[in-house]
Amino acid sequence: MRKLNLPKFAQRILALSLAIGFGVAASSVIWKYQQSAGENLAVSSARPIPTLQISGAAPANTEIHNTTFIYRDNPQRAPLAPGPRLSFPLREAWRSEELNVGAHTASKSSAAVDASGIYVGSDAGEFRAYDLDGKLRWKFAILQNKQGFHGTALLDEKYAYIGAYNGRFYKFDKASGKVLWATRLADAVGTAPVRLSDGDLIVSAEKSYRDGYLLRLNSQTGAVLWRTVGFLEQVHSSPTISPDERMAYVGDNRGIFHGVSLETGALRWGTDLGGAIKGTAALQNGVLYVNSWGKGITQASPIPLGDVVFTSGQRPSVLRGVDQKTGAEIWSRLVSDGREGMASALLVSDGKKRDLALIQCKPETLCAIEIRTGKVRYEHPVPGRITSLPTFAEGRIYLTFDRGPMLVLESAPESAKRAKP
Amino acid sequence: MRNKLRAYFQGQVREVEQDRALSLYGVALSLLLPLAYLFWRESFNYFRSDPVPYCWPGVDCFYHPLRALGPDGWFWYMLAGNAVSFFAAFSFWRNRIGAALIALGLATLLKIIQQATSYTLMGNYHYMPYIITLGFLFIPGRRAYLPIQLVLFYVAAGFLKINPEWLSGYALPGRIPYLAERWFRFLLGYVIILEILFVWGLLSSEKKWRALAFLQIAAFTAVSWYFVGSFYPITMSLLLSLFPLSWVITAPARSKLNLAAICALGIFVGAQAFPKAWGPDPALHTYRRLISLNMFDANPICDSAIYLRKKGEILELDGANGMALRLQCDPILLVAKARALCRELKSDPTFINLDVHMEARRMSGHQFETVLREENFCGN
C-alpha cells in the first residue's frame, strides 16, 4: 500500500475534517436516538406492566369459566328485583376469627361466596378461603402488607380474582390457593373487578400520588390489554359495564364520572359531579345511578328499584329513599353521626314480598328496611360497623366489619324481637 | 522456583522504588481502602438490623467467618484493615516499597474477604480499584499499563451509555439544578463522546491534549458528585491521580507494555464485550455482568415476589422490599434472599417450598422479560 506523503498543514486539515465528520455523525446518531428515546419514554396509556406468571398459563383466553360471584350481582351493578328471599328472624350460623383490624378507613372486602366456599380479603393483608361450614381451607398473606385487601373478589368455577393494596391483582386457584399469576397494576387495587363475556377482566387501580385508571386484563395470563390515561386522581369505585359490553363507567376522586370505551380504553366522556365518587354506579334501563361527595358525604352504591332509589350517606349517616324521576327525597332515616352509612345495602325480599335493604340502621345493628317506605322491618345485633356490602349466598348472609370477624347469619325458625315501625 | 519468585518480587519493588510517581500512586491506592470501609459503615448498620446474608452467586456466605464476629467484631476487623492500609500508605510515602506492596496486597485481601460476606456490597467503585490495585501489585511496566487500563474504564462506560435510558436522562435519578432539559440531554450525549473519544487524550504525548482531556474528566467527575454521592468521585480521583503524577514526575526509564499487561487489557475488554455481544440483556440478567462494569444505564423496571408455600397458607414476600435502588431489580439478590429463606425455613414442619419470580424491562423496553422464574426453589 502506498504511503500518502502530505504536507503537514494538509495532514492537520485532514485530521480536523475527520474529527468534525465523526463528531457530526456521532451527534446526529445520538440526537436521533434521543428523540426516539424521548418518544418511547413519554408517558403513554399503554406502557407495559409486569405480570408474574406463576404457573405458565396459556397465552390466549382459551378457557372461560362461568362467573359464579360478582360484586353487586352483575356487571351493571344493579341488583335485580325481587331480591333473594330471606326469612326473618336471623340467627348466627358461625363467625370466623378476626378478619379486619381497622388498618385503613376504606370500605372492607365483601365476602365472595359460591357453592365452593367463601373467599374474603382482610385489611390485615390476607385473602382467605373458607368452606361453607366455616372451616378455613387456605389463606394467602402479603408479608410486607400495609393495608391488605379491600376489594371484593370475582369468582368463577375454578378461580378467584382480587386486587390488593400492594398494587397487585391476583388470580388464585380456589381449591388450593395457589397463585396463578400476579400483575402489578398500580400502587393499590381496592375495588371489585368485572368480567366480560370473552373472559377479560376490567379493573380500576390507583397510584399513591393522585392518579388512577381503568385496565382491561386477559384473565388467563394477567396481561394488561389496555390501560386508560390517568384520571389525575385516585379511583375508589368499581367499574360498571353496559349490557352491550361497549362501555365501562367509573368515577374518580376529583368527582369526574367517566365513560370509557371497552374496546380501546379511550375516554369517551366525563361529567363533573361536584365531589369525589367513591361508590359504584348502578346501571338500570339505560340510566346510571351514582353517588358523590358533592353535597354531603355520600358514597354507597344506590339500589334503583322501579320508582324509588335507595341510598345512604355518612357524616351524618342517613338512609334515604328518593324518587327515581325527580331525585326528591321520599323518606330518610338518621342512623348516627358516624360512618355507618358508608356501606352499600343488599337487596332482599321477605315472606311478604317486600323489597328490603339489609344495611346498618343503628350502631352495631343490622336492619332490614323497606325500600319504598323506610320502615325498619327487622333488626339483628352485629359486633361492629359494617363498611362492606352484605352478601347473600347459599341461603345465608355474610357480613364483614371495619374491625372484627366475618359473621354468617341464617334464617332462624324461632321468633325474635321485631322492630317497631 | 523460589529464586524466580524472589527475582520477580524484587523487580516489582525496584520498579516502584525508582519511580516516585508510582510510589506516590501507591499512597493513593492504599487510601482507597479506608475510604471503602467508611462507605460500608452504613451497610454494617444494615447487617445489624437484618442478619440475612445475601450471598454472591456461587458463594456460600452463610458461615462466612466474619458473620460470626458480630457487630463488635466487624468494627475491629475494619480497624485492622484500616491499620494495614495506612501502614501501606505510609510505607509508600517513605519509599519502603517491599513492605508497602505486601501491606497493600494484604489490605486488598482483607477487603475482598469482607466484600464476600454480602452481594449488597457490590459496585463499580470496588471493581475498578481492584483491577488497578492488582495491576499495580503484579504487572510490570506500570507506567505503560495502568494509564491504558484507566482510559479503557471510561471507554467501556461510554459504550454502556449508548442506550435510550441514558440519552434521554431517564437513567439518572435527578437533574442538574437550573439547567434546562435540552442542555442536560446535550451533556448526556457529550459524556459519551468524552468517554469514548476525548478520554484518549490522557495518553497523548502532547501537553495540551492531555490537559484538555484531564480537565474534562475532572469536570465530569465533579458533576457526578451530585448524582452518585462522594464515594465514587473520590475513588475515581484517587485512581486518576496517576496521570498528573506521571506528567509531573519524569519516569526513570521508558515503560513498555509487556505480555502480562496486554493479556490483562485483553481480558478486561473481553469481560466488557462478552455480555453485550450476545445473550440476554445484562442490565436485566445481572449474572451476565458480574465481571464487567455496570452503570446508571438501564434503570430497569421490575416486579418480583417470593411465594412461600406452607401447609394451609401461601405467603407473599415482595422481592424488592428493603433493597437499595440499584439492587431492587437484581435477580442475584432475589436468589440470595430465596436461598436464605430456604435455609431458615428448612426446620419449619409446615414449610413446603417456595417459588421465585421476577419480570423486568429497561425503561424504554416494550415488553417485560421473565428474568427469573423458579418454582420449588428450595432443593434446586
Side-chain angles (χ1 to χ4, degrees):
Chain A
M1 195 163 100
R2 261 181 46 182
K3 212 172 159 179
L4 279 173
N5 280 321
L6 290 171
K8 249 196 177 148
F9 78 89
Q11 286 177 24
R12 284 183 181 161
I13 288 172
L14 182 64
L16 194 63
S17 306
L18 283 171
I20 290 171
F22 175 79
V24 167
S27 303
S28 58
V29 167
I30 289 168
W31 180 253
K32 192 179 165 197
Y33 222 164
Q34 280 189 332
Q35 296 306 302
S36 66
E39 282 157 19
N40 283 342
L41 288 162
V43 172
S44 72
S45 64
R47 293 187 58 74
I49 291 171
T51 300
L52 299 181
Q53 288 288 339
I54 312 301
S55 65
N61 251 352
T62 52
E63 52 171 275
I64 300 172
H65 301 282
N66 292 328
T67 300
T68 55
F69 178 89
I70 183 172
Y71 179 70
R72 293 184 74 74
D73 297 337
N74 53 64
Q76 288 72 55
R77 314 292 196 183
L80 301 171
R85 174 86 183 273
L86 185 64
S87 299
F88 296 95
L90 302 173
R91 67 176 178 188
E92 179 175 322
W94 56 268
R95 64 172 67 185
S96 70
E97 69 276 21
E98 189 177 59
L99 183 71
N100 292 314
V101 299
H104 185 40
T105 55
S107 302
K108 303 302 176 192
S109 173
S110 303
V113 186
D114 65 13
S116 69
I118 306 141
Y119 306 86
V120 62
S122 106
D123 64 3
E126 292 180 352
F127 181 58
R128 296 183 193 168
Y130 292 90
D131 291 334
L132 291 173
D133 60 5
K135 185 181 161 196
L136 180 68
R137 193 188 317 142
W138 53 259
K139 68 177 176 183
F140 171 84
I142 301 169
L143 286 184
Q144 289 100 16
N145 166 64
K146 285 180 188 160
Q147 287 145 349
F149 293 87
H150 286 261
T152 300
L154 174 89
L155 305 178
D156 67 23
E157 289 152 341
K158 284 184 78 172
Y159 307 112
Y161 306 84
I162 188 170
Y165 261 56
N166 62 2
R168 287 204 178 110
F169 190 79
Y170 299 88
K171 177 177 180 176
F172 292 93
D173 178 273
K174 287 196 310 185
S176 64
K178 184 173 170 125
V179 177
L180 277 87
W181 53 252
T183 300
R184 192 183 286 280
L185 303 183
D187 296 326
V189 182
T191 57
V194 72
R195 189 197 200 112
L196 305 178
S197 53
D198 63 1
D200 288 349
L201 301 164
I202 305 296
V203 186
S204 48
E206 62 193 39
K207 303 290 285 181
S208 51
Y209 57 87
R210 289 185 169 187
D211 205 2
Y213 27 71
L214 211 58
L215 303 100
R216 181 167 179 158
L217 275 62
N218 178 300
S219 63
Q220 208 149 318
T221 64
V224 173
L225 302 173
W226 55 248
R227 185 177 77 186
T228 63
V229 294
F231 293 149
L232 305 179
E233 248 296 358
Q234 294 178 339
V235 178
H236 289 170
S237 66
S238 303
T240 301
I241 307 298
S242 63
D244 58 6
E245 290 192 347
R246 293 176 70 172
M247 294 287 287
Y249 309 100
V250 70
D252 65 33
N253 277 5
R254 273 193 306 159
I256 311 296
F257 191 64
H258 302 275
V260 177
S261 163
L262 271 179
E263 190 188 341
T264 62
L267 300 189
R268 290 277 179 244
W269 51 261
T271 298
D272 190 342
L273 298 186
I277 302 164
K278 292 182 184 276
T280 302
L283 172 59
Q284 193 177 73
N285 298 326
V287 180
L288 282 160
Y289 302 86
V290 60
N291 282 325
S292 83
W293 285 18
K295 291 176 183 174
I297 299 180
T298 307
Q299 69 183 53
S301 300
I303 300 177
L305 202 65
D307 53 355
V308 67
V309 180
F310 174 86
T311 186
S312 62
Q314 56 170 335
R315 296 197 192 112
S317 279
V318 177
L319 308 179
R320 288 190 176 90
V322 300
D323 185 276
Q324 185 268 338
K325 286 197 179 107
T326 64
E329 187 177 282
I330 300 170
W331 60 265
S332 69
R333 178 178 287 275
L334 179 67
V335 175
S336 73
D337 292 335
R339 295 169 50 227
E340 280 78 4
M342 77 184 276
S344 302
L346 172 68
L347 176 67
V348 296
S349 69
D350 65 5
K352 295 177 183 170
K353 295 185 183 176
R354 288 183 286 216
D355 296 312
L356 303 172
L358 268 188
I359 194 167
Q360 204 157 2
C361 70
K362 292 178 191 175
E364 296 188 348
T365 308
L366 177 72
C367 304
I369 299 179
E370 195 173 345
I371 286 181
R372 295 181 199 289
T373 64
K375 289 180 180 170
V376 179
R377 294 298 178 190
Y378 178 72
E379 292 181 7
H380 185 89
V382 292
R385 182 170 60 226
I386 304 170
T387 58
S388 57
L389 174 69
T391 301
F392 179 92
E394 309 295 318
R396 287 175 169 172
I397 299 289
Y398 299 83
L399 300 166
T400 62
F401 302 91
D402 203 43
R403 274 177 219 258
M406 177 173 59
L407 179 67
V408 183
L409 303 174
E410 61 186 4
S411 296
E414 68 272 13
S415 57
K417 176 178 110 174
R418 295 195 184 271
K420 291 178 188 168
Chain B
M1 183 68 174
R2 263 176 78 181
N3 288 338
K4 276 190 179 167
L5 280 171
R6 193 184 293 137
Y8 165 77
F9 181 70
Q10 283 170 352
Q12 307 315 305
V13 170
R14 200 168 26 250
E15 183 184 339
V16 179
E17 210 169 45
Q18 289 172 356
D19 190 340
R20 191 59 182 150
L22 289 178
S23 59
L24 289 175
Y25 192 54
V27 174
L29 293 182
S30 304
L31 293 176
L32 281 170
L33 296 156
L35 194 68
Y37 288 131
L38 205 67
F39 179 66
W40 281 344
R41 201 183 47 194
E42 283 176 21
S43 301
F44 297 144
N45 289 333
Y46 174 77
F47 287 142
R48 286 171 208 235
S49 61
D50 184 356
V52 174
Y54 296 116
C55 301
W56 290 79
V59 174
D60 187 345
C61 68
F62 294 93
Y63 300 114
H64 193 291
L66 279 183
R67 300 201 74 85
L69 291 179
D72 290 337
W74 282 107
F75 174 76
W76 288 110
Y77 185 89
M78 276 201 298
L79 212 58
N82 282 336
V84 174
S85 305
F86 283 122
F87 174 77
F90 180 74
S91 302
F92 277 117
W93 179 260
R94 295 297 302 265
N95 225 28
R96 305 276 189 266
I97 302 302
L101 287 176
I102 291 171
L104 180 61
L106 178 61
T108 305
L109 184 63
L110 290 174
K111 184 185 168 188
I112 290 172
I113 291 170
Q114 189 150 19
Q115 196 168 12
T117 56
S118 177
Y119 178 71
T120 56
L121 300 178
M122 59 80 82
N124 284 332
Y125 26 67
H126 306 300
Y127 174 83
M128 290 188 280
Y130 280 141
I131 292 177
I132 295 296
T133 303
L134 291 173
F136 183 83
L137 286 171
F138 295 111
I139 297 181
R142 289 156 179 78
R143 277 235 194 188
Y145 161 66
L146 292 174
I148 297 176
Q149 178 62 78
L150 285 166
V151 165
L152 284 181
F153 285 150
Y154 283 96
V155 174
F159 277 108
L160 264 185
K161 292 180 175 73
I162 301 178
N163 58 65
E165 285 80 17
W166 173 266
L167 288 166
S168 61
Y170 279 92
L172 291 174
R175 291 291 181 269
I176 297 173
Y178 310 116
L179 187 69
E181 183 68 17
R182 63 193 164 112
W183 288 112
F184 181 69
R185 288 197 180 183
F186 170 78
L187 285 178
L188 295 174
Y190 158 77
V191 162
I192 294 176
I193 298 177
L194 166 66
E195 289 191 322
I196 293 176
L197 185 64
F198 294 155
V199 71
W200 291 100
L202 291 172
L203 303 177
S204 171
S205 54
E206 291 201 33
K207 221 186 268 189
K208 59 175 181 289
W209 299 125
R210 291 200 305 246
L212 193 61
F214 191 78
L215 278 170
Q216 290 178 84
I217 293 288
F220 171 55
T221 306
V223 170
S224 71
W225 198 300
Y226 181 77
F227 295 98
V228 298
S230 57
F231 177 67
Y232 209 157
I234 295 176
T235 299
M236 292 313 297
S237 303
L238 288 170
L239 290 176
L240 290 168
S241 63
L242 176 65
F243 288 107
L245 284 170
S246 58
W247 298 334
V248 167
I249 302 171
T250 316
R254 191 180 156 79
S255 197
K256 278 185 189 170
L257 270 184
N258 56 36
L259 184 61
I262 293 170
C263 287
L265 292 170
I267 290 170
F268 174 78
V269 170
Q272 314 313 305
F274 168 72
K276 298 280 275 182
W278 61 84
D281 188 347
L284 304 180
H285 301 265
T286 53
Y287 285 97
R288 306 192 72 248
R289 62 173 195 192
L290 273 174
I291 53 167
S292 56
L293 286 171
N294 60 88
M295 304 270 164
F296 271 138
D297 55 328
N299 200 3
I301 298 169
C302 65
D303 195 18
S304 59
I306 297 174
Y307 291 94
L308 285 156
R309 286 183 279 113
K310 293 188 167 189
K311 285 178 190 162
E313 66 178 332
I314 303 107
L315 309 173
E316 180 189 85
L317 252 89
D318 194 295
N321 188 55
M323 293 295 132
L325 191 65
R326 231 180 224 261
L327 298 172
Q328 279 180 7
C329 292
D330 195 329
I332 293 174
L333 213 64
L334 191 65
V335 166
K337 216 177 191 176
R339 280 171 63 196
L341 281 168
C342 289
R343 196 177 275 254
E344 187 187 326
L345 295 167
K346 206 163 50 173
S347 54
D348 183 344
T350 63
F351 177 67
I352 299 172
N353 213 314
L354 58 87
D355 308 324
V356 185
H357 301 273
M358 177 183 272
E359 292 224 327
R361 66 172 170 88
R362 285 181 171 262
M363 220 175 198
S364 62
H366 292 285
Q367 293 293 336
F368 275 88
E369 286 179 45
T370 299
V371 173
L372 190 61
R373 186 169 130 202
E374 211 166 324
E375 298 185 28
N376 299 315
F377 180 87
C378 301
N380 283 353

